[in-house]
Amino acid sequence: MQIVNAQQDEKIQERYTAHNKGKFFVSWGGNRDSYIKSDVTFKGKDYNFTLDNITADDKPKGWHIDYLNPTRMTIPQTNLRLGYFINDHYSIAIGVDHMKYVMTQGQTANISGTISAGTPYDGVYNNSPIVLSKDFLMYEHTDGLNYVNTEFSRHDDISKLFKIKNTDKIQVNVTEGLGLGLLYPKTNTTLLGKERHDDFHVSGFGTSLKAGLNVTFFKHFYIQGELKGGYINMPDIRTTKSAEDSASQNFFFFQRIIAFGGIFKV
């Protein structure tokens, strides 16, 4: 009986899913995003002002064929990740969290600073309420709020909790990780009637923490749900065609992610 059990244990250890070291993985999915209120400072040759506690939302696409259309993949909010297991429990990955950030149009915010741009909004402000109408300001990172990051993560098999014996058929894992990266947004801003810049620009940095649940099927295919929170600081956001014009802001974000992927050895 002991010999049979030893042989069974050896077979379990020989399963593809018993070890992760040396495996690569790639995933593609979508996200929903939430942002705390934040202050945004706009600076230029003829203005310097701060808007306090503005609100913003994401721009969800929902379940859509654009997630699979190579010519339209940047339209939804997406997550791309490519990684490698350095041992059975730890991986390192690079990826892009393509979020979208849209300032709530028509909200009232307090403004402090000066404007002398020859517009109806010229003046000196000291914590004064102002309606953020489209002719004053439209402000969004919609193509997008791109968090280009590296993540270091831990992975643990919890299949035994679900009484799963053959993990080569189905395996359940939990993962936790931390990330660090650059913000490379394409910001769409219309400010005081100026011509928008609307091009990609390295604007700052971000950090993040995540936790997720991974279900792997038939050794190579998986679906993964993640909760990710982080901090973004962008001191150099391009807003208009003039290099003298810029904006700055920092805020915390929260992502809910569903991704589909594959894991394999080369």
Side-chain angles (χ1 to χ4, degrees), residues 9-228:
D9 290 341
E10 185 178 350
K11 288 182 179 179
I12 291 174
Q13 292 301 316
E14 290 174 350
R15 287 177 181 153
Y16 184 86
T17 50
H19 299 284
N20 287 321
K21 183 178 180 180
K23 293 179 182 177
F24 290 87
F25 59 91
V26 61
S27 67
W28 175 258
N31 62 70
R32 289 298 311 270
D33 315 310
S34 300
Y35 309 102
I36 68 165
K37 294 180 179 180
S38 63
D39 300 344
V40 185
T41 298
F42 295 89
K43 293 181 179 180
K45 184 173 68 173
D46 44 17
Y47 62 91
N48 187 336
F49 64 88
T50 298
L51 299 173
D52 294 337
N53 291 320
I54 69 167
T55 62
D57 298 297
D58 63 351
K59 193 176 182 180
K61 187 79 173 181
W63 295 98
H64 203 281
I65 191 63
D66 282 354
Y67 284 96
L68 303 177
N69 185 340
T71 64
R72 297 177 64 83
M73 280 183 167
T74 62
I75 294 177
Q77 299 173 173
T78 55
N79 298 78
L80 172 65
R81 194 149 304 280
L82 175 66
Y84 176 76
F85 280 93
I86 57 178
N87 62 35
D88 285 347
H89 289 288
Y90 290 95
S91 70
I92 188 166
I94 57 173
V96 179
D97 294 1
H98 179 73
M99 299 177 280
K100 294 183 185 287
Y101 177 103
V102 181
M103 184 192 76
T104 306
Q105 207 68 60
Q107 66 179 291
T108 299
N110 288 339
I111 180 174
S112 297
T114 60
I115 301 174
S116 56
T119 73
Y121 298 98
D122 286 12
V124 178
Y125 299 91
N126 184 15
N127 208 34
S128 309
I130 188 171
V131 177
L132 304 185
S133 58
K134 286 187 177 181
D135 58 339
F136 173 61
L137 174 66
M138 184 180 75
Y139 180 70
E140 54 187 49
H141 313 290
T142 46
D143 199 25
L145 185 64
N146 299 310
Y147 175 39
V148 183
N149 61 89
T150 299
E151 284 186 345
F152 182 71
S153 303
R154 179 178 172 90
H155 309 258
D156 291 284
D157 183 355
I158 59 170
S159 301
K160 289 182 179 179
L161 296 179
F162 301 92
K163 298 182 179 180
I164 298 171
K165 295 182 179 179
N166 187 351
T167 54
D168 277 2
K169 290 184 177 180
I170 183 170
Q171 183 184 41
V172 182
N173 304 279
V174 292
T175 180
E176 315 86 29
L178 55 89
L180 176 67
L182 299 175
L183 269 296
Y184 189 53
K186 187 177 183 183
T187 303
N188 182 8
T189 302
T190 303
L191 170 65
L192 299 172
K194 296 176 179 289
E195 185 178 1
R196 64 189 181 133
H197 180 247
D198 196 24
D199 202 358
F200 294 103
H201 179 68
V202 176
S203 300
F205 70 92
T207 60
S208 56
L209 295 172
K210 73 170 188 180
L213 183 68
N214 170 293
V215 182
T216 300
F217 303 94
F218 305 111
K219 301 186 288 187
H220 298 293
F221 309 100
Y222 67 83
I223 180 171
Q224 184 161 309
E226 292 180 356
L227 299 177
K228 179 184 289 188

